[in-house]
Amino acid sequence: MNQVTKFDGTHEDLIHDVSFNYYGNRLATCSSDQKIKIWDYNESQSIWESNISFKAHSCAVLKTSWAHPEYGQVLASCSFDRSVIIWEETYHDAGKKWIPVATLRDGGGTVQDVEFAPNHLGLRLAIVAADGQVKIYEAMDVTSLVHWALVDDFPVGNGGSKDEEGNHCLSWCTWKFASRPMMVVGCAKDHVAKIFRPDPNNKWQSCEVLGGHGGVVHDVSWAPNMGRSYHLIATACKDGHVRIFKLTDDTQGGAMSGVWSRKMFNVTCIADFPDHNAEVWRVEWNITGTILSSSGDDGKVRLWKATYTGDWKCMGVVSADEGPSAFQR
């Protein structure tokens, strides 16, 4: 059964991001009204209920990210005010409350994306700002999230772009059997996404390039790997296209020999969809990395899935304006 639940976000301005927790039963929304709202799913009534709403930043809140639940109920948010705030849910006599336990200031401009690393890498947090710098922080003590250390800092492109074209985005590779941590970063005016990983000296280096975009890459998403022999990365682009890239081991490079190499994968664009006919802002994989969702300025969420022959097709469209009949195959 296909079910679409529609509810009023109750924000006073544009909603920039919606992020689910690890189990998919809680979500956080953030908005230009400077607030974050936490929602819990009521299974008995099949509705989303607002848990709490609080002012998070002094400017618009752009992104939120949940930490793995083994570290508790922890949320990170980033904003136009050049800061990242770590929030933790605590329990008081009056009920639950989210408190800011740490604030990370970035002097390089608006913090445009934030994402916790997969839990096998520890409690780490990657951020990217308008100046094109990626910074990775690590909690000094996972039982007390007050202190965070800057462990890595590297540029992603040819300088920052502090205008409307200066969008950066990132996504971690969650595969725990990778020889080194990896992430994909959308690189603003370069109109590409790049894969980064540490060299033998633990310095993050730019490696494979995901090209072919006709505009700024608004979002990237590295698919969870549930046993595939290859990786999948999706991109959302200003040119109105959703693209899926396939990464296979480069038998001539370092993938098979175990030696570090800038070229570890062969990159192939295996799908390119212009169906939105408008700017595409978000792409996100399901937990098994088999279904991709995308959303754009056409007001629709499109779901993509590979057929048994390996061809990617649109399996459904969700429209925000059509109520109970929003889902169409």
Side-chain angles (χ1 to χ4, degrees):
M1 180 181 68
N2 299 311
Q3 181 178 346
V4 176
T5 303
K6 184 177 180 180
F7 62 95
D8 186 354
T10 68
H11 281 281
E12 300 168 7
D13 209 328
L14 177 69
I15 296 176
H16 290 285
D17 191 36
V18 177
S19 60
F20 286 88
N21 71 344
Y22 180 82
Y23 298 109
N25 58 4
R26 305 188 85 183
L27 62 84
T29 58
C30 61
S31 166
S32 286
D33 64 7
Q34 307 175 11
K35 294 179 181 178
I36 292 175
K37 294 180 184 287
I38 307 296
W39 305 78
D40 292 310
Y41 187 66
N42 186 325
E43 292 188 8
S44 62
Q45 300 182 39
S46 298
I47 60 173
W48 287 94
E49 297 177 335
S50 178
N51 176 303
I52 191 173
S53 173
F54 53 92
K55 181 177 178 180
H57 290 265
S58 59
C59 294
V61 188
L62 297 179
K63 286 285 191 74
T64 58
S65 176
W66 294 83
H68 192 276
E70 73 175 79
Y71 302 112
Q73 295 298 303
V74 179
L75 188 74
S77 62
C78 64
S79 168
F80 275 117
D81 64 8
R82 302 188 176 193
S83 71
V84 173
I85 299 181
I86 313 298
W87 304 86
E88 186 174 23
E89 187 178 48
T90 59
Y91 295 84
H92 297 272
D93 295 337
K96 302 175 183 178
K97 183 178 181 181
W98 287 84
I99 61 172
V101 292
T103 300
L104 311 175
R105 298 287 179 184
D106 192 296
T110 299
V111 183
Q112 297 174 326
D113 205 355
V114 57
E115 185 175 299
F116 280 103
N119 63 309
H120 66 270
L121 297 178
L123 188 52
R124 291 191 170 195
L125 180 72
I127 70 172
V128 60
D131 63 350
Q133 288 288 126
V134 171
K135 296 181 179 180
I136 302 176
Y137 293 88
E138 184 173 17
M140 300 293 288
D141 181 0
V142 296
T143 62
S144 175
L145 305 182
V146 176
H147 301 292
W148 293 73
L150 179 64
V151 294
D152 284 296
D153 182 1
F154 57 92
V156 301
N158 301 317
S161 302
K162 299 183 181 180
D163 59 2
E164 66 274 9
E165 295 290 306
N167 185 73
H168 298 82
C169 49
L170 59 83
S171 178
W172 287 91
C173 171
T174 60
W175 193 43
K176 66 172 60 177
F177 300 109
S179 59
R180 294 178 183 274
M182 297 182 289
M183 70 172 67
V184 58
V185 183
C187 302
K189 282 188 174 180
D190 293 345
H191 294 181
V192 299
K194 298 178 183 178
I195 295 173
F196 289 81
R197 57 180 171 270
D199 63 17
N201 296 318
N202 285 325
K203 299 294 185 182
W204 285 75
Q205 303 289 346
S206 171
C207 299
E208 296 82 3
V209 176
L210 283 57
H213 301 90
V216 173
V217 177
H218 286 313
D219 197 22
V220 290
S221 183
W222 197 309
N225 192 328
M226 305 298 286
R228 288 189 298 259
S229 60
Y230 55 89
H231 293 276
L232 294 174
I233 295 175
T235 63
C237 187
K238 184 177 181 179
D239 64 7
H241 288 241
V242 175
R243 295 176 175 86
I244 301 175
F245 295 86
K246 181 178 180 180
L247 279 58
T248 55
D249 288 341
D250 179 14
T251 56
Q252 304 301 317
M256 306 305 292
S257 66
V259 178
W260 189 88
S261 170
R262 281 188 180 273
K263 188 178 181 185
M264 185 173 174
F265 300 110
N266 292 312
V267 178
T268 307
C269 182
I270 59 172
D272 188 340
F273 303 113
D275 298 43
H276 281 281
N277 293 313
E279 285 192 55
V280 186
W281 289 95
R282 291 286 187 273
V283 284
E284 189 69 38
W285 295 94
N286 67 341
I287 195 170
T288 57
T290 55
I291 297 176
L292 175 70
S293 63
S294 62
S295 62
D297 277 344
D298 59 347
K300 299 181 186 299
V301 174
R302 300 179 187 272
L303 304 176
W304 313 91
K305 187 176 182 180
T307 65
Y308 68 94
T309 60
D311 297 323
W312 285 83
K313 303 290 184 183
C314 182
M315 61 172 287
V317 180
V318 180
S319 175
D321 301 324
E322 299 179 7
S325 60
F327 185 82
Q328 302 173 5
R329 288 187 175 276

